[in-house]
Amino acid sequence: MRPTLRDARRIGRVILSGAGEALVVALALSSFVFAAFRWLPGDPARLVLGDEASAAAVSRLRDRLHLDEPIALQYGRFLRGLVTLDLGDSFRRPGTGAMTEVLSALRPTIELSVLAVVLGASLGVGAALAASGPWIGSTQRNWVDRTFVLAASVPLIALAPVLTWALAARTRLVPLPGDPQAGVEGLLFASALLSIPLGAHVGRVARAALSELGEAAFLAVARAKGAPPARVLLLHALPCVAGPIVTVVASQLGALLGGAVVLERLFERWGLGTLILQAYAARDLPVLEGAVVAAGLLFIAAQVLGTALHAAVDPRVRGGVG
Amino acid sequence: MSRRWLKLLPLAALALASAASTLFDGEPPGRLHPQLSWCPPSWARPFGCGEAGVDLLALVSAAERSALLLAVVVGLVGFTAGTALGAAAALFRGRVERLVERACDLVQSFPTFIMALAVLSAVHTPSRIYIGFVFAVTAWAPFARLSLAQTRSLRTALFVEAASALGRSPTGVFLRHIVPNLLGVAAVQLGSTAAAVVVGEASLAFVGLGPPNGVSLGAVLDQGVSAMLRAPHVLLVGALSVFATSGVLLIAGRVFHLAPTSR
């Protein structure tokens, strides 16, 4: 059944309710960042200027950061800054808005993560489908399942540097992604690394869901009507397991974003992670706040997108009570 | 039954090995021997040396111990707090139950690593206390979810009904009949939480937000990356020890996974 206009409306409703929840999460996350910089021990102004700064300089900076105002007023100012995309100037580069820096760093990180999600999801789903068909024996099928479990439990932080050493530094099979001349190949290599744990999780969950679906009556009907195995798997079984797949991708997004920060540090590639670390090293508070909130928002947006995708693929969700 | 406990063996071996090497070596993990910078593994220094001639075996053992300690502490704190909260929510029902459920959703949809970056960059020195705190803030949620679901099915179970019908007080029913059936289910999450803490701590140290004394598995990896071509053994030692640590914790956590028949 093809999605109709009514389905489109339902999908829209799912997105709207998802966006409402996302707004709550976004507010909670940015409040958390705000609170972290105000309430944790240590004066942010001292953090920026260092311990040897004169009292006058500290009080000037406290004034500039509005740290002496009541906390509610500071919070309001912070939220207004987020909404109007104006968190003040960067300390490190006076004259450049903190948000300008954040936006320029957003693109490489989004490229890396989106490509990793696409690669990981298609690899995982593809391998799971191939292993669920009648093409391979049960011994090989068990081996595929074991490989998924093993690959899902190898931490990216251990795997990525070793693979980089073996493939990029030692044998030069692939270019180093931090190299400005690496271009698309470098990006592909970096996102392939990032997609390994995701792909393994997706594959594990997809395999479990497909084998649970197993001999469902509607699959038997499709097969009895003469549909080839590939068609049964792709058109009849896959939409039914889209839910668990989208859920596992969404649950891995936090790890993916963390992995992106690690990879950006590993390859010295420009992006949100690099910006957060540079801003941390330079004690550039406005940029730091903006970048952390932007990373959180990116993550939340991806989750809303996942929910919408789930609704678009699985008729049970869009036809349901939601 | 006895074979189940074998799964704790790798964890015990790793913990013992890291404790033993610090006992017998006697050298503090941060001691530098500049003339031995990046020296390859040898009999005297089985893991070789890192930057400025730091003995990698001593460094890795010390980092291992603190990583395991952090993982176990965060895991137990999350387990205790989460299980208690989930059980309480399911027993109170109604609004409390929904509230805890929503809180779990909220916390589980938080990107922990980004949060950790925010907290650690806001404090003066990113010490282990803060790192542990950040992980504990999100670690309780999966436990609470498991315990909530389990208590929800237990509160209507026939044996629970029978116990209250036979005159046991609500507290007695809870302690004797619900708690014992709850702990095993929630404990399933312990291994993966502990492993995630180890990997998270290593990742934070790798990007430069580690403990100030540099004793962390992530710091070893960082050294390894910067000397990737000159001294690949540093990278391999760091990567293998992160892999081994998270691996033994995952295996140890499988102790709580029961075969469907024995449940």
Side-chain angles (χ1 to χ4, degrees), chain A residues 42-182:
Chain A
D43 177 358
R46 280 249 172 248
L47 203 67
V48 173
L49 294 171
D51 288 332
E52 282 93 49
S54 68
V58 169
S59 91
R60 242 195 331 273
L61 187 65
R62 284 187 69 87
D63 200 41
R64 199 176 136 197
L65 290 172
H66 308 286
L67 287 174
D68 294 321
E69 290 175 6
I71 200 86
L73 205 62
Q74 287 186 47
Y75 186 56
R77 199 184 289 279
F78 174 71
L79 287 185
R80 197 185 64 192
L82 281 183
V83 173
T84 57
L85 295 184
D86 178 19
L87 284 175
D89 274 5
S90 157
F91 286 174
R92 201 161 42 109
R93 294 195 195 135
T96 323
M99 271 301 170
T100 324
E101 290 219 20
V102 172
L103 291 179
S104 85
L106 213 50
R107 210 187 123 199
T109 304
I110 290 181
E111 278 174 1
L112 181 67
S113 322
V114 168
L115 200 57
V117 169
V118 170
L119 277 179
S122 40
L123 275 179
V125 170
L129 282 177
S132 300
W135 305 286
I136 64 170
S138 61
T139 333
Q140 288 148 311
R141 192 166 296 155
N142 285 342
W143 275 111
V144 172
D145 289 351
R146 262 176 234 154
T147 313
F148 282 144
V149 172
L150 184 73
S153 59
V154 176
L156 182 71
I157 177 109
L159 188 65
V162 174
L163 282 184
T164 308
W165 169 71
L167 297 179
R170 199 61 200 264
T171 56
R172 294 181 190 275
L173 286 175
V174 288
L176 272 172
D179 190 350
Q181 272 128 42

Side-chain angles (χ1 to χ4, degrees), chain B residues 16-102:
Chain B
L16 272 180
S18 64
S21 77
T22 359
L23 274 185
F24 293 122
D25 217 27
E27 188 170 290
R31 175 76 63 82
L32 304 179
H33 305 275
Q35 75 281 10
L36 289 176
S37 279
W38 310 115
C39 72
S42 63
W43 283 113
R45 297 174 186 281
F47 283 4
C49 302
E51 194 171 15
V54 61
D55 182 18
L56 282 185
L57 180 59
L59 182 61
V60 164
S61 311
E64 194 81 63
R65 257 179 311 129
S66 39
L68 285 178
L69 188 68
L70 187 75
V72 169
V73 168
V74 171
L76 288 182
V77 167
F79 174 66
T80 317
T83 313
L85 191 67
L91 290 181
F92 281 118
R93 307 194 185 203
R95 197 173 288 170
V96 182
E97 190 177 348
R98 276 200 301 278
L99 193 73
V100 171
E101 221 170 3
R102 296 297 301 136

